[in-house]
Amino acid sequence: MTSPFVIVIFGATGDLAQHKLLPALYSLFKKKSLGEKFYIVGFARRDFSDDDYRQMISDELQKQDEPEWEAFIKNLYYQQGMFDEEKGYTELIHKLNGFDAQIGACITRLFYLATPPDNYETILSFVESTKLSEGCGQGSEKWTRLAIEKPFGKDLDTAKHLDALLAKVFEERQIYRVDHYLGKETMQNMIAFRFANSIFEPVWNKEHIDHVQITWVEEEGVRTHGRTFDGLGMLRDVGQNHLLQMLATVAMEQPKDFSKEGVRDARANAIKAILCPKESEVKDVVVRGQYKEYREEKNVDPNSQSETFVAAKLFVDTPRFADVPFYVRTGKKMKEEKMEIKVVFKQTCHILFKEYGCPEVGNVLTIRIQPDEGITLRMIAKKPGNALSLDTVDMKFTYHQSFGGHGADAYEKILLDILHGDQMLFNRSDELDSSWHLISTILEGWEKEKEEIPHYESGTWGPDSADRLIESDGRKWL
């Protein structure tokens, strides 16, 4: 990014700003990816000066001993303000106009909403009413951009309401709905892996794929996020975005071209093609659970029904994947942390080698998103020895081993794409409509069940019902 720009981070003293956005910006600065002139303005309610804010961030990130840090924080500023009071916004306008005056031109403005979703509507209302969204005039609003973090609403109605508010203030080309998992190196590599390697696309269909497993689980509980998580639950927090985006990378058709709209069209069509169960069918294809200690967590309702685990069996209604089940699961307090996609191919070795015995599961393609990003292909081979005996072996590729690193941090990629105006890795409004239609149907099905949420032991793979969901089809979680 060579042109001057300013980033305003609403919620500048929060976890996202301090531990994701600012470290990513600092890393880009060290890589000389931000240009010579830029401004980062933190907006929050604490009564800080610029120097107070710089000191707080320095103490939090402990970067004082790095030679580049002092140069970086000179670009860091602070604006005190309450989200629901106009004063802070008008003072922010004067600050931004001062930056424009220093440069001698209207510079690109990015407003990043790094706040809890409950604040979105209030902030957007003041951004519009104070004309902050219009830049410094002279048609500069076309350079103004807004980044907003998931979750985008709590159900279909609230998502549509938020979308309408966004559309009132900004054009679609200015809006960047952030799901940072789309910025992960392995998620981006899925497109190249599928469509640049001719050996996979011919077998990427129902004739050869038995089923797909998608897992997004973590060892930790809600930690300090009880207030924001409770009432939201895993289905909204992870299912609506991360899981469905991972599913879409597997199910999407080849984009018509490698442009932002070409890729987003293909992704949106895949999510739209997910079959939505009827409310009466939800209990048969979606299971949920809550880890036993959840209600004892800080800022959690002692009678909470929020799910900390979800597993579902979904189908994609396309000629490519008709009748191929997608088993997805996400949860907290799991046995281990992993985020991965497993494409399980049909087992055919028994046709020729049935008398020698075949491994229960044959070819499996595993795309690991976290940790240790990479791709593994499980194959069947003859074991050494005089007798014919078959076993599975893995061909592995990891970013660290092959390229000497793990690729760019997801937030580094996201921030650069926003500054360059590239929306390929960001959700579009029609993607959200389709995903929320599915999620809202499941939520309504749960509401009508009126059953106490089942509990599961921490450090396990969730409730027994998750195993029954896949084992009833003669399969098992891998």
Side-chain angles (χ1 to χ4, degrees):
M1 186 68 184
T2 57
S3 302
F5 65 89
V6 57
I7 296 178
V8 179
I9 303 176
F10 290 94
T13 56
D15 185 69
L16 175 61
Q18 293 186 59
H19 299 117
K20 295 295 183 182
L21 298 180
L22 288 170
L25 287 166
Y26 177 49
S27 179
L28 291 172
F29 174 77
K30 290 194 293 182
K31 296 174 182 176
K32 303 187 184 304
S33 299
L34 296 184
E36 294 185 4
K37 202 65 179 174
F38 62 92
Y39 307 87
I40 303 168
V41 182
F43 187 107
R45 64 184 179 183
R46 297 189 196 179
D47 189 13
F48 282 167
S49 66
D50 291 343
D51 286 338
D52 291 336
Y53 184 56
R54 290 166 182 164
Q55 187 62 54
M56 186 197 78
I57 297 300
S58 295
D59 292 343
E60 184 68 28
L61 299 183
Q62 298 181 342
K63 301 289 188 181
Q64 296 95 323
D65 295 333
E66 298 185 19
E68 300 96 335
W69 180 250
E70 193 63 33
F72 173 74
I73 62 170
K74 289 179 181 177
N75 301 281
L76 199 59
Y77 301 83
Y78 187 79
Q79 174 60 55
Q80 192 275 333
M82 306 297 288
F83 295 148
D84 57 355
E85 294 179 4
E86 185 177 299
K87 180 183 176 183
Y89 297 89
T90 56
E91 291 178 352
L92 176 61
I93 290 174
H94 293 308
K95 189 182 292 285
L96 300 185
N97 287 341
F99 298 151
D100 291 326
Q102 290 179 24
I103 299 297
C106 293
I107 62 177
T108 297
R109 295 179 179 181
L110 165 60
F111 302 112
Y112 203 115
L113 272 56
T115 70
D118 291 345
N119 298 125
Y120 290 170
E121 184 168 352
T122 301
I123 295 172
L124 287 169
S125 295
F126 278 102
V127 167
E128 180 193 25
S129 65
T130 61
K131 300 189 184 302
L132 186 58
S133 59
E134 296 182 10
C136 71
Q138 305 172 35
S140 63
E141 72 276 359
K142 65 184 177 182
W143 306 114
T144 301
R145 294 157 195 171
L146 176 91
I148 184 171
E149 287 269 340
K150 65 90 179 171
F152 314 108
K154 291 188 174 182
D155 52 33
L156 184 58
D157 290 338
T158 57
K160 285 186 173 181
H161 176 73
L162 176 60
D163 218 39
L165 184 59
L166 287 169
K168 183 181 178 184
V169 186
F170 298 98
E171 296 180 20
E172 180 65 27
R173 62 180 174 82
Q174 296 174 283
I175 301 169
Y176 294 77
R177 301 173 185 85
V178 177
D179 178 351
H180 74 276
Y181 255 69
L182 287 176
K184 293 283 188 181
E185 197 72 57
T186 313
M187 288 290 283
Q188 298 174 59
N189 192 44
M190 273 293 292
I191 297 176
F193 180 82
R194 280 191 57 189
F195 301 114
N197 294 292
S198 60
I199 62 173
F200 291 109
E201 187 60 14
V203 297
W204 207 266
N205 54 57
K206 64 183 180 181
E207 304 301 327
H208 301 278
I209 294 176
D210 180 78
H211 70 282
V212 178
Q213 297 184 20
I214 298 175
T215 298
W216 195 104
V217 295
E218 50 190 348
E219 291 180 288
E220 294 183 324
V222 294
R223 295 178 295 164
T224 59
H225 305 300
R227 179 177 285 107
T228 54
F229 181 86
D230 198 41
L232 189 67
M234 290 300 283
L235 185 65
R236 293 182 178 98
D237 190 41
V238 175
Q240 183 271 330
N241 37 77
H242 297 342
L243 282 186
L244 293 187
Q245 293 296 338
M246 291 164 76
L247 187 154
T249 63
V250 178
M252 63 191 284
E253 295 298 319
Q254 180 172 322
K256 62 182 180 181
D257 52 42
F258 196 67
S259 65
K260 67 176 182 180
E261 292 309 325
V263 173
R264 296 211 294 179
D265 283 344
R267 199 169 62 219
N269 289 336
I271 294 175
K272 185 178 181 180
I274 300 172
L275 290 174
C276 186
K278 298 177 182 177
E279 287 182 16
S280 59
E281 300 171 339
V282 167
K283 64 181 183 299
D284 298 321
V285 296
V286 185
V287 301
R288 57 179 171 159
Q290 185 186 90
Y291 64 85
K292 285 188 175 180
E293 303 87 356
Y294 174 71
R295 296 177 183 179
E296 301 169 12
E297 299 277 20
K298 185 178 179 180
N299 296 320
V300 169
D301 183 344
N303 299 308
S304 176
Q305 291 292 302
S306 295
E307 75 285 352
T308 60
F309 178 91
V310 180
K313 178 170 68 172
L314 302 172
F315 290 92
V316 179
D317 188 20
T318 61
R320 181 188 294 269
F321 279 108
D323 300 321
V324 175
F326 285 71
Y327 300 97
V328 302
R329 58 178 173 172
T330 179
K332 294 183 179 293
K333 286 282 187 179
M334 297 281 101
K335 191 171 184 178
E336 63 183 84
E337 177 173 316
K338 63 178 176 180
M339 293 81 180
E340 64 182 19
I341 300 167
K342 287 184 179 292
V343 180
V344 184
F345 292 88
K346 293 180 178 180
Q347 174 62 294
T348 58
C349 87
H350 62 275
I351 296 173
L352 184 60
F353 301 102
K354 59 182 178 181
E355 63 183 285
Y356 302 99
C358 290
E360 184 179 355
V361 179
N363 302 131
V364 180
L365 180 68
T366 301
I367 299 98
R368 291 186 312 281
I369 298 154
Q370 191 175 320
D372 195 24
E373 299 93 331
I375 297 173
T376 300
L377 178 61
R378 181 190 297 179
M379 301 184 300
I380 297 173
K382 177 187 175 297
K383 294 171 67 175
N386 294 326
L388 179 58
S389 178
L390 303 178
D391 203 351
T392 57
V393 294
D394 289 339
M395 291 182 64
K396 296 181 179 180
F397 146 74
T398 68
Y399 279 92
H400 181 69
Q401 291 177 335
S402 298
F403 299 116
H406 297 281
D409 171 80
Y411 274 99
E412 291 180 35
K413 173 65 174 171
I414 283 167
L415 287 165
L416 275 185
D417 282 356
I418 296 173
L419 292 172
H420 287 129
D422 186 349
Q423 293 178 304
M424 183 184 293
L425 299 180
F426 300 86
N427 286 276
R428 206 168 57 188
S429 58
D430 54 343
E431 291 181 66
L432 295 178
D433 281 349
S434 298
S435 63
W436 273 119
H437 177 64
L438 170 64
I439 299 302
S440 292
T441 300
I442 295 172
L443 292 170
E444 289 163 7
W446 285 348
E447 185 68 26
K448 290 187 176 180
E449 283 180 31
K450 298 187 181 298
E451 294 181 2
E452 181 74 13
I453 190 167
H455 292 89
Y456 61 91
E457 297 284 347
S458 297
T460 67
W461 290 112
D464 294 339
S465 54
D467 292 328
R468 293 195 295 270
L469 177 71
I470 190 169
E471 289 172 2
S472 63
D473 295 334
R475 303 180 177 100
K476 64 180 181 181
W477 295 108
L478 302 178

